[in-house]
Amino acid sequence: MKIGALKESYEGEARVSVTPSSAVHLQKLGHEVHVESGAGVRAGFSDAAYEAAGVTVQPNAAALIGAVDVVVKVRAPSEGELRQMRRSQTLISHFWPAQNPDLLELAREQGVTAIAMDMVPRISRAQKMDALSSMANIAGYRAVIEAANNFGRFFTGQVTAAGKVPPAKVLVVGAGVAGLAAIGAAVSLGAQVYAFDVRPEVAEQIESMGAEFVYLDFQDQTQDGAATGGYAAPSSPEFREKQLEKFRELAPDMDIVITTALIPGRDAPKLWTGDMVAAMKNGSVIIDLAAERGGNCDLTVPDERVVTENGVIIIGYTDFPSRMGAQASELYGNNIRHMLTDLTPGKDGIIVQNMEDDVIRGATVTFDGDVTWPPPPPKVQAIAAAKPREKARELTPEEKREKELADFRAQTRSQVTMLVVGAVLMLLVGVFAPASFLSHFIVFVLSVFVGFQVIWNVSHSLHTPLMAITNAISSIIIVGALLQIGSGGWLVVLLAALSVLMAGVNIFGGFLVTRRMLAMFQKS
């Protein structure tokens, strides 16, 4: 079939739904790819680049819509674009059916099959088509870049001849895809990062990225991401008050606040109030990624940069992914081509609208003249994060000393037992074995004991390189094999040669494995 990418009509939108590289993949599925002239210019893709990839360039939107079977976009279609489409055509784009009921009804009247990229269910198999996550990842990263651009100091701490610069303190509210991307970017720039989320199970993810999780002393906090499609559930009033109390405590110390709390289809919760803004230092920055739905901050103005009376900068831009147009287009183009891969199971250029498929059914909002939104729950539920392990109670100094003493006593008993058993065995061997054997046996037993004590205290992650280097060192037996090669007997020479070969493999292989394993633990 013919796939066509429209030029985005939304003012300032730099993304495009098909890139030259994704067009090549679509052609491998048997499709013919078209693009409206100038569609990729703002993202850095010229018409010539599309033509070089085998894409047909159409002069305008009307020509493109009239020439193709499937229209793909980034933003939701305008009423004019939708009216130009004919019955049985397929539209793939963001749609936001809950916020655009009139657009949904128009698509039904036009007989258009509309597939909403914002409605892709959050199940494992659909991750490659999850455009919301792709764009949130870029938004989180770009939020940190915008914060750095508006912040008047370094992110990382420095000690110079001219003075000491403390690291910037960054608070990320919400640890979804955007929040984790922001945490990663801020940590890499050297900031001291704190993060909060209503789901306590994400604490391990946050801490593994080098940030500090902000805990609340609230016992009835039970959030399950599976119940809300992988998103955090709305909080209770009691929890919200406790949350705001914690934010008021943190506000005076934070240099940068990045808020990401948003559930698609709902207004953004107000998490950063006017009094918190007033408590922040002059020059502090707030980046509100929920500005499009009203913002998490009371003072956010969508699409504007606001400076408050006390010098706090509040950024309410709603086009963070578009500000990285080339990267965003590549990721979104991959989401589109994966969706079309599922819609083209035979890789023969024929679209199959399989409404029994969880992903296709979940994303389809109009089909065959009917509104199919909202979809039924997917057969495979969204995977919830594992519940956090209960934190062990911290021991008092007295309890720590008692525990250490008990561990020492147990270890001592174990060692004494082993020595006693070893002495008895040595006595028995001494009674029956010749003196020449006994001297070698004593060395062997002591080597085993010392080796055991050394290896027992080595981290499990280092056992493989340790054994590899042990093999290399123990291959000193190659010396004996080399001495035997000069012997006159052919059988002895053959066995000695085989021994040299195997010991050589042990030596070189042992050192090679050790080197490669230890390299895994080195920071680049």
Side-chain angles (χ1 to χ4, degrees):
M1 286 190 170
K2 296 177 181 179
I3 313 294
L6 276 174
K7 181 179 179 180
E8 296 301 316
S9 57
Y10 188 86
E11 185 179 354
E13 180 57 70
R15 291 172 292 177
V16 63
S17 54
V18 173
T19 64
S21 59
S22 67
V24 173
H25 290 285
L26 294 178
Q27 289 163 358
K28 290 178 181 178
L29 294 173
H31 298 298
E32 183 181 323
V33 184
H34 296 242
V35 66
E36 183 183 348
S37 179
V41 170
R42 284 175 288 187
F45 307 114
S46 64
D47 289 350
Y50 282 106
E51 289 172 345
V55 177
T56 302
V57 178
Q58 297 289 349
N60 52 51
L64 181 128
I65 293 174
V68 301
D69 305 294
V70 179
V71 176
V72 293
K73 286 183 88 283
V74 179
R75 295 261 184 175
S78 66
E79 183 178 330
E81 289 168 337
L82 206 49
R83 288 193 182 279
Q84 292 180 65
M85 296 186 66
R86 61 186 182 273
R87 184 168 294 276
S88 78
Q89 269 188 314
T90 298
L91 169 70
I92 304 177
S93 71
H94 285 88
F95 205 98
W96 307 109
Q99 290 80 46
N100 295 305
D102 294 340
L103 208 60
L104 193 65
E105 180 59 26
L106 179 59
R108 184 197 66 78
E109 290 175 2
Q110 293 290 113
V112 171
T113 296
I115 297 176
M117 294 300 290
D118 49 282
M119 290 299 298
V120 171
R122 287 201 155 183
I123 58 178
S124 297
R125 185 171 67 83
Q127 288 180 356
K128 59 190 176 183
M129 308 169 221
D130 190 352
L132 293 181
S133 292
S134 298
M135 299 302 102
N137 182 26
I138 293 176
Y141 175 85
R142 182 69 189 196
V144 175
I145 303 303
E146 292 291 341
N149 186 47
N150 284 274
F151 188 53
R153 291 197 287 108
F154 295 130
F155 264 50
T156 185
Q158 292 191 9
V159 178
T160 71
K164 181 180 179 182
V165 180
K169 291 186 177 181
V170 178
L171 172 65
V172 179
V173 180
V177 176
L180 292 175
I183 290 168
V187 168
S188 68
L189 288 175
Q192 187 175 343
V193 184
Y194 302 84
F196 173 83
D197 197 280
V198 298
R199 299 162 296 179
E201 63 266 20
V202 304
E204 289 184 7
Q205 298 177 44
I206 290 169
E207 291 168 355
S208 70
M209 297 182 73
E212 181 180 331
F213 185 70
V214 176
Y215 285 95
L216 285 187
D217 185 16
F218 191 82
Q219 298 302 321
D220 297 328
Q221 181 183 2
T222 55
Q223 299 287 350
D224 185 1
T228 51
Y231 295 95
S235 305
S236 65
E238 296 79 12
F239 178 79
R240 173 179 161 75
E241 287 305 314
K242 200 73 175 179
Q243 181 181 10
L244 295 180
E245 179 184 330
K246 187 67 176 180
F247 290 164
R248 288 189 181 96
E249 178 187 328
L250 294 172
D253 295 328
M254 293 300 121
D255 298 305
I256 294 167
V257 176
I258 300 174
T259 62
T260 71
L262 184 64
I263 300 175
R266 298 179 184 171
D267 290 335
K270 296 297 181 183
L271 302 177
W272 207 258
T273 57
D275 62 305
M276 296 176 196
V277 177
M280 296 178 73
K281 299 186 289 285
N282 183 290
S284 300
V285 180
I286 298 173
I287 307 291
D288 195 338
L289 291 181
E292 195 166 14
R293 299 297 301 165
N296 296 134
C297 177
D298 280 343
L299 306 182
T300 297
V301 179
D303 295 311
E304 290 189 20
R305 177 184 184 273
V306 176
V307 182
T308 65
E309 291 183 1
N310 62 321
V312 177
I313 301 167
I314 304 174
I315 305 293
Y317 302 150
T318 60
D319 61 346
F320 283 103
S322 183
R323 288 170 181 259
M324 300 181 69
Q327 183 69 77
S329 297
E330 290 287 5
L331 293 182
Y332 185 73
N334 285 336
N335 296 141
I336 289 287
R337 64 117 165 160
H338 284 304
M339 175 62 76
L340 283 165
T341 299
D342 270 28
L343 288 167
T344 319
K347 295 184 179 181
D348 51 4
I350 298 175
I351 297 290
V352 178
Q353 189 75 26
N354 180 11
M355 297 298 276
E356 297 298 317
D357 183 285
D358 271 348
V359 178
I360 295 173
R361 175 63 187 89
T364 302
V365 294
T366 61
F367 174 65
D368 199 22
D370 291 324
V371 173
T372 57
W373 179 84
K379 302 181 189 73
V380 180
Q381 294 291 333
I383 298 175
K387 296 297 182 186
R389 296 189 298 269
E390 288 189 10
K391 297 184 74 174
R393 181 179 65 86
E394 288 201 18
L395 301 177
T396 63
E398 293 76 13
E399 290 173 331
K400 286 182 180 178
R401 282 195 293 272
E402 290 179 5
K403 185 177 184 300
E404 289 173 357
L405 186 59
D407 291 343
F408 176 75
R409 288 171 177 167
Q411 188 177 7
T412 302
R413 283 196 297 269
S414 174
Q415 291 175 344
V416 169
T417 302
M418 290 177 62
L419 287 173
V420 170
V421 172
V424 172
L425 289 175
M426 292 291 292
L427 182 62
L428 292 174
V429 171
V431 171
F432 298 101
S436 59
F437 173 81
L438 188 61
S439 62
H440 292 297
F441 184 69
I442 290 173
V443 172
F444 171 75
V445 170
L446 289 175
S447 299
V448 170
F449 178 75
V450 172
F452 174 79
Q453 289 299 318
V454 170
I455 294 175
W456 184 259
N457 294 315
V458 173
S459 170
H460 291 289
S461 59
L462 293 175
H463 279 184
T464 298
L466 178 66
M467 293 304 296
I469 196 68
T470 303
N471 285 344
I473 295 172
S474 65
S475 293
I476 190 67
I477 59 173
I478 196 173
V479 175
L482 289 170
L483 293 174
Q484 293 299 320
I485 285 182
S487 175
W490 67 270
L491 182 59
V492 175
V493 172
L494 177 62
L495 293 175
L498 290 174
S499 299
V500 169
L501 175 64
M502 289 184 285
V505 170
N506 240 13
I507 292 171
F508 295 110
F511 282 121
L512 180 63
V513 169
T514 302
R515 181 180 178 84
R516 294 186 65 178
M517 287 292 296
L518 291 178
M520 296 171 61
F521 297 92
Q522 295 174 351
K523 291 185 177 180
S524 56

